[in-house]
Amino acid sequence: MENLIDKIRRHEARCGIIGLGYVGLPLALEFARAGFRVTGIDVDRGKVDAIMAGRSYVVDVSDAEIAEQVAAGRLMATSDFAAIAELDTVNICVPTPLRKTKDPDLTFVVSAVNEIRRHLRRGQLVILESTTYPGTTEEVVLPALEASGLQVGRDFCLAFSPERIDPGNPQFNTRNIPKVVGGVTPACTEMAAALYAECVDQVIPVSSTRVAEMVKLLENTFRSVNIGLVNEIALMSHALGVDVWEVIDAAKTKPFGFMAFYPGPGLGGHCIPIDPFYLSWKAKMNGFEPRFIELAGHINESMPRFVVEKITDALNRHKKSVRGSRVHILGVAYKAGVNDIRESPALNVMKILTDKGAMLSYSDPYIPAIREEGLCLDSLPQKNGWLANIDCVVVLTAHREFDYGSVVESAPLVVDTRNALQGYRGENIVRL
Ligand SMILES: NC(=O)c1ccc[n+]([C@@H]2O[C@H](COP(=O)([O-])OP(=O)(O)OC[C@H]3O[C@@H](n4cnc5c(N)ncnc54)[C@H](O)[C@@H]3O)[C@@H](O)[C@H]2O)c1
C-alpha cells in the first residue's frame, strides 16, 4: 500500500468515480483539476456520452469545465466496469434512496460494490461517499470486498467520506468544503486523507467509518429538525395571526445562539427528506426509538397540505373553488437555482391540487417538463400575458429569474410560500 501513497502524492494514481451525478461529477472534475487521470463510471449511458461530448447536466458544472478536462486526457467516462482493474482509487457516489416503507435502499451501493469486488486487486483504495447509516461501510461494503479473498488494511484500503456539497451554492463547493474521512483501519484513514488532501482545501480525519457516516446524518438531521421546528412555528403563527417571516427576521438579529431557518412548502432533494430516516432505521434496529426525526418528518410532510389549505382559503375569499380554478405554480425545483425535482414538495402540492380538480400550469426555468406523479406538464415561458386567465399563482420555489413585480401586478391572487414577495404590497398577496 506504500506504493499507492507515493502515487497519490505524485498525482500518478489513476482515480475512479462510480456514479456521475450531482456528487460524482464535481468530484471527478476536482480530481482531474488536481492533475489526476480520472475515469468516471456510470450505468447511465446518456451521462457518459454527455461527459465525453463536453456537455454538463449538473447546474454547478459548466460545459467548458468538462470539455477542458476531457480534451486534456484527464477525464473520461464509461459504462464498462472492467475499467476498475486499471484504477488505484475508487470513490462510490451512487444514490441511497428510501423504500416506500422509509427503510434504506442500498441496492445501488451493493451493485456498485459487487462490480468493484469483481475487479478488486492489491493496492487499491475504495471510498464510499454515498450518504448512509452508521455501519454500512463495515457491515455491507467490507464483507463484500473481502469475499474477493483480499484483506482490508493489508491488501486494499476502505474508508467512508461523506459528501457535503450544496448544489446551487455559489460560495461553497467540493474544493472548499472540509472533507471528513474515516477509514476501517488507521492506515485506511491515512490513505483516503492523503488522496483528498491533493484536491480539497481541508481534510478532517475521524476515528472510524461509523463516526464519518454519523457526521453526515447529524448535519442533515439538524437541518430537517430545525426546518420542522420553524414549519411548526409557521403553523402556530398562522393560528396566532402573527407574521412568521417578520418574527424570523427580527430573531436573527441576535448575534449569538440563534440560526435562522425558514418555513416552506416542505422538504425536497435527495438529502434532507431522506437521510435522517437512514439514521432512524438504524437506531430502531438497535432498540432505540428516535423521536425528533420522526416528529420533524411528520411536520415537514404535512406542509404541502397546509399550502393547499392556504390556496383553498384564498380562492374561497375570491368566491372560487379549487375545482375548476386555474392555478399556476411558480418554481417546482426542490430549491432555488437547481434543476433537481427529486422529492420536491411541489410534486405533492400539485398532486393534491390536481386531485381536487384544479387546472394546473407551471413555470420553472430549470425544469422544462414534469412527467411524474401522474403529472404531464411543460414549463410556460415568462412572457407578456403569461398569467392571463390564471386565478391564483403559487410561489413554491423562489428562483431569482422570476419577475415577481409583474406577477404581483397581473395575478389576481398570489400565495407565497417562500417570502419571495418580501417588499411587495398588495391585497392579492397571501403569505405562508
Ligand atoms: N445531491 C446532493 O446534493 C448530495 C449532497 C451530499 C450527498 N449526497 C449523497 O450522494 C449520493 C449520490 O447523490 P447524487 O445526488 O449525486 O445522485 P445522482 O442520482 O445525481 O447520481 C448518482 C449517479 O449514480 C449512477 N448510478 C446508479 N447506480 C449505479 C451503479 N451501480 N454503478 C454506476 N453508477 C450508478 C446514476 O446513474 C447517477 O448518474 C447519495 O447518497 C446522496 O445522498 C447528495
Side-chain angles (χ1 to χ4, degrees):
M1 299 299 312
E2 268 161 32
N3 192 17
L4 177 57
I5 220 152
D6 286 344
K7 273 173 129 179
I8 288 173
R9 289 185 181 138
R10 290 198 303 269
H11 295 186
E12 284 167 9
R14 295 281 308 271
C15 300
I17 309 285
I18 300 189
L20 298 167
Y22 291 92
V23 165
L25 180 57
L27 184 67
L29 280 170
E30 220 51 75
F31 281 137
R33 276 194 282 263
F36 291 103
R37 277 170 67 201
V38 182
T39 303
I41 305 176
D42 202 297
V43 288
D44 182 341
R45 281 177 190 277
K47 286 187 177 143
V48 168
D49 292 345
I51 290 173
M52 295 314 284
R55 225 176 37 245
S56 178
Y57 44 85
V58 169
V59 273
D60 301 317
V61 172
S62 70
D63 292 353
E65 284 173 282
I66 297 178
E68 184 190 349
Q69 299 305 330
V70 171
R74 283 191 295 266
L75 176 65
M76 64 91 70
T78 177
S79 287
D80 183 2
F81 287 87
I84 294 170
E86 306 293 315
L87 302 173
D88 297 302
T89 70
V90 184
N91 288 59
I92 306 169
C93 306
V94 297
T96 42
L98 287 175
R99 298 185 191 283
K100 281 212 161 27
T101 51
K102 286 202 161 38
D103 288 354
D105 177 1
L106 287 184
T107 320
F108 301 99
V109 171
V110 168
S111 128
V113 169
N114 285 338
E115 290 291 351
I116 297 173
R117 184 193 52 220
R118 287 178 52 211
H119 304 284
L120 192 69
R121 56 166 178 77
R122 276 200 174 75
Q124 283 180 318
L125 163 67
V126 178
I127 305 174
L128 179 61
E129 292 221 6
S130 303
T131 307
T132 184
Y133 58 80
T136 309
T137 309
E138 292 190 19
E139 293 162 15
V140 178
V141 182
L142 179 59
L145 294 183
E146 286 197 328
S148 65
L150 298 176
Q151 194 188 320
V152 74
R154 187 190 68 192
D155 303 318
F156 69 95
C157 283
L158 175 62
F160 182 84
S161 177
E163 179 50 65
R164 305 158 103 188
I165 52 152
D166 179 19
N169 187 325
Q171 197 184 351
F172 294 109
N173 51 47
T174 308
R175 178 157 199 112
N176 64 8
I177 299 172
K179 202 86 179 87
V180 171
V181 180
V184 174
T185 67
C188 295
T189 309
E190 197 191 336
M191 191 69 77
L195 175 66
Y196 289 121
E198 299 303 321
C199 66
V200 302
D201 293 347
Q202 198 188 355
V203 180
I204 317 284
V206 293
S207 63
S208 66
T209 55
R210 273 187 172 72
V211 169
E213 288 158 338
M214 187 90 168
V215 166
K216 172 75 187 178
L217 296 181
L218 167 62
E219 291 166 3
N220 283 1
T221 300
F222 172 83
R223 286 193 63 74
S224 160
V225 167
N226 278 289
I227 294 169
L229 172 66
V230 83
N231 275 333
E232 187 170 65
I233 295 283
L235 300 177
M236 236 184 266
S237 302
H238 175 71
L240 299 175
V242 176
D243 178 347
V244 66
W245 303 98
E246 192 184 350
V247 172
I248 298 167
D249 275 349
K252 75 179 185 196
T253 60
K254 185 176 179 181
F256 53 90
F258 181 81
M259 183 185 276
F261 283 83
Y262 297 95
L267 299 180
H270 186 30
C271 292
I272 315 291
I274 293 175
D275 303 347
F277 290 99
Y278 267 69
L279 182 55
S280 169
W281 177 84
K282 187 65 178 175
K284 285 181 196 162
M285 294 293 280
N286 285 270
F288 185 92
E289 197 61 42
R291 285 161 290 176
F292 274 112
I293 294 173
E294 305 285 326
L295 180 60
H298 286 309
I299 295 169
N300 291 328
E301 282 164 22
S302 76
M303 292 311 286
R305 288 217 166 264
F306 180 64
V307 169
V308 171
E309 203 182 302
K310 281 260 172 188
I311 298 167
T312 309
D313 289 350
L315 283 168
N316 195 39
R317 280 196 294 278
H318 281 225
K319 300 190 174 60
K320 288 186 173 157
S321 63
V322 173
R323 177 168 300 279
S325 283
R326 279 151 302 196
V327 180
H328 186 79
I329 307 292
L330 218 49
V332 294
Y334 82 88
K335 68 172 180 174
V338 301
N339 62 349
D340 193 350
I341 197 170
R342 288 177 297 177
E343 313 288 326
S344 174
L347 292 171
N348 285 334
V349 172
M350 291 168 92
K351 183 160 185 332
I352 302 170
L353 286 170
T354 307
D355 290 348
K356 287 184 182 293
M359 293 187 291
L360 287 185
S361 55
Y362 86 96
S363 300
D364 191 315
Y366 293 86
I367 312 282
I370 305 177
R371 300 281 183 273
E372 48 191 297
E373 298 283 341
L375 298 163
C376 180
L377 294 167
D378 292 323
S379 174
L380 294 183
Q382 309 157 58
K383 55 182 186 196
N384 271 352
W386 64 308
L387 296 178
N389 304 321
I390 294 293
D391 296 303
C392 178
V393 172
V394 185
V395 182
L396 291 183
T397 313
H399 290 307
R400 272 182 318 184
E401 288 81 353
F402 292 132
D403 176 359
Y404 295 107
S406 87
V407 172
V408 174
E409 242 170 63
S410 45
L413 203 52
V414 191
V415 176
D416 179 11
T417 69
R418 298 285 190 183
N419 206 24
L421 304 182
Q422 190 181 26
Y424 291 97
R425 304 229 169 275
E427 292 281 296
N428 59 340
I429 299 175
V430 175
R431 290 178 209 276
L432 188 73

